């Protein structure tokens, strides 16, 4: 069951958005039901802006790591990497995953910049901080995907080094 879910998740980067929205929706439900746990509503506006800035900065840093990882993936030239890239299913899956992770870093940074622009009141009655929470959740899920991608590329590249062509 877990393996089936994992295989489905790996093949569909768009599910990351569903995961992030489900977590944020669940948290919003808990907050609306109990009136407790709205962590990003506790700080004042200046602290929230600092939080949004920090999230956007981390996303930008991760984006630079993703770019380096894509360069590593593109530069690897062994037979296993060639097979991985040209495989009819896994090749397309890897490309979707790399582009999805890179796109998510841009989306996370963009959502946080948008939250900075829209969060104009001391208590955030419009709930802009939920946008930042969604950005954090998406970033976490995509970080897991990035970790998986790095692992796959490293294993394939190392395997190519172990066995000469």
């Amino acid at each position: 069951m877990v393996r089936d879910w994992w295989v489905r998740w790996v093949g569909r980067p768009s599910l990351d958005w569903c995961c992030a929205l489900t977590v944020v929706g669940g948290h919003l439900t808990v907050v609306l039901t109990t009136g407790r746990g709205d962590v990003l509503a506790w700080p004042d506006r200046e602290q929230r802006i600092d939080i949004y800035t920090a999230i956007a900065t981390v996303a930008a840093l991760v984006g630079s790591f993703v770019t380096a990882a894509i360069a590593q993936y593109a530069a690897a030239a062994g037979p296993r990497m060639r097979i991985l890239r040209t495989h009819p299913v896994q090749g397309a899956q890897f490309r979707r995953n790399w582009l999805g992770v890179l796109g998510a870093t841009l989306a996370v940074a963009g959502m946080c910049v948008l939250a900075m622009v829209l969060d104009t009141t001391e208590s955030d009655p419009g709930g802009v901080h939920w946008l930042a929470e969604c950005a954090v959740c998406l970033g976490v899920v995509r970080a897991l995907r990035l970790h998986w991608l790095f692992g796959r590329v490293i294993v394939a590249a190392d395997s190519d080094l172990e066995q000469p062509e």
Side-chain angles (χ1 to χ4, degrees), residues 14-152:
S14 59
L15 288 178
D16 296 356
W17 285 93
C18 294
C19 291
L21 292 173
T22 299
V23 169
V24 173
H27 183 218
L28 179 61
T29 301
V30 168
V31 169
L32 293 175
T33 303
T34 66
R36 297 180 180 189
D38 193 359
V39 178
L40 287 179
W42 296 340
D44 62 17
R45 182 182 179 277
E46 288 182 27
Q47 288 175 311
R48 284 193 312 272
I49 297 298
D50 289 343
I51 292 167
Y52 305 154
T53 303
I55 297 166
T57 301
V58 169
L61 288 171
V62 170
S64 67
F65 294 137
V66 170
T67 304
I70 292 172
Q72 174 192 4
Y73 171 71
R80 282 184 179 80
M81 287 302 294
R82 213 174 356 269
I83 290 168
L84 183 63
R85 283 194 199 113
T86 59
H87 190 275
V89 175
Q90 287 187 350
Q93 187 181 59
F94 257 63
R95 286 186 289 282
R96 270 195 318 273
N97 275 289
W98 282 120
L99 291 174
V101 169
L102 183 59
T105 60
L106 298 171
V108 168
M111 287 190 290
C112 289
V113 170
L114 183 61
M116 284 187 254
V117 171
L118 296 176
D119 193 343
T120 58
T121 60
E122 190 60 34
S123 63
D124 188 25
V128 173
H129 64 278
W130 290 102
L131 182 62
E133 183 170 327
C134 185
V136 168
C137 289
L138 178 62
V140 167
V141 175
R142 286 290 163 105
L144 293 172
R145 186 174 293 279
L146 179 61
H147 183 269
W148 172 79
L149 281 167
F150 263 127
R152 291 293 302 252

